[in-house]
Amino acid sequence: MMIFRREHKDLKKDGEEWMKTEAISHMITALIAIAFVAALSFFLMGNTTYVTSVSENTRLLFTILKSIIFLTSTSSMMFFQSILMSSFLEEDFHYKLPLKLMGGLVMLFLSLTSMLVAFVATISYLMLAGILPKIVIFSSVPVFLLVPLKLKLLGETIRSWI
């Protein structure tokens, strides 16, 4: 075991730096999602023009979406924060750190997907029927760009963990 530790000392250091970089970049994305929830709250519920015309079902939909986005974003940030606060022991790389990374990525995916649903619901609510299909297509572009990039990372993490 001592030989293994000595031979892989640089690998441990590189893994620690990579995990910290990943955690910080994903925390920024989760923070943007939280800012989106705040903006959505002020747009729909704080604007007196739209508040009077909003049905109860629409209010319920936006409340549910905001709750999902907020909870999954903050959960994601907590997972990534726990990575940053980790002691980065060799044992942590085998079980704890991959589990935290997987949890953070899953929560981040759920948050971003909920954000896109809220975006499309907002556009639909504003009744831009003529350009609605184009907006829906363009709003799904980030998911199609993010999923292949981060799903590969999630898959590799799961395979290495198992």
Side-chain angles (χ1 to χ4, degrees), residues 10-59:
D10 292 336
L11 185 61
K12 180 184 174 283
K13 182 181 170 195
D14 292 343
E16 181 178 342
E17 289 176 14
W18 178 81
M19 286 291 268
K20 286 181 179 180
T21 304
E22 285 293 314
I24 289 169
S25 65
H26 289 99
M27 279 180 67
I28 292 170
T29 306
L31 187 60
I32 291 170
I34 292 171
F36 176 81
V37 170
L40 184 65
S41 296
F42 288 121
F43 168 73
L44 187 62
M45 298 306 160
N47 193 334
T48 56
T49 308
Y50 295 112
V51 170
T52 56
S53 63
V54 175
S55 69
E56 286 300 315
N57 290 338
T58 305
R59 284 180 193 254

Side-chain angles (χ1 to χ4, degrees), residues 111-122:
S111 174
L112 294 177
T113 303
S114 300
M115 276 178 49
L116 290 174
V117 170
F119 176 74
V120 170
T122 304

Side-chain angles (χ1 to χ4, degrees), residues 74-88:
T74 52
S75 298
S76 175
M77 285 189 68
M78 285 189 257
F79 275 112
F80 294 127
Q81 183 66 32
S82 69
I83 290 173
L84 291 175
M85 297 176 66
S86 176
S87 58
F88 292 99

Side-chain angles (χ1 to χ4, degrees), residues 79-109:
F79 275 112
F80 294 127
Q81 183 66 32
S82 69
I83 290 173
L84 291 175
M85 297 176 66
S86 176
S87 58
F88 292 99
L89 299 173
E90 287 144 8
E91 298 82 30
D92 292 346
F93 281 100
H94 180 68
Y95 181 74
K96 290 180 183 177
L97 290 174
L99 190 61
K100 291 175 183 179
L101 183 63
M102 287 185 286
L105 286 172
V106 167
M107 290 294 129
L108 192 59
F109 284 143

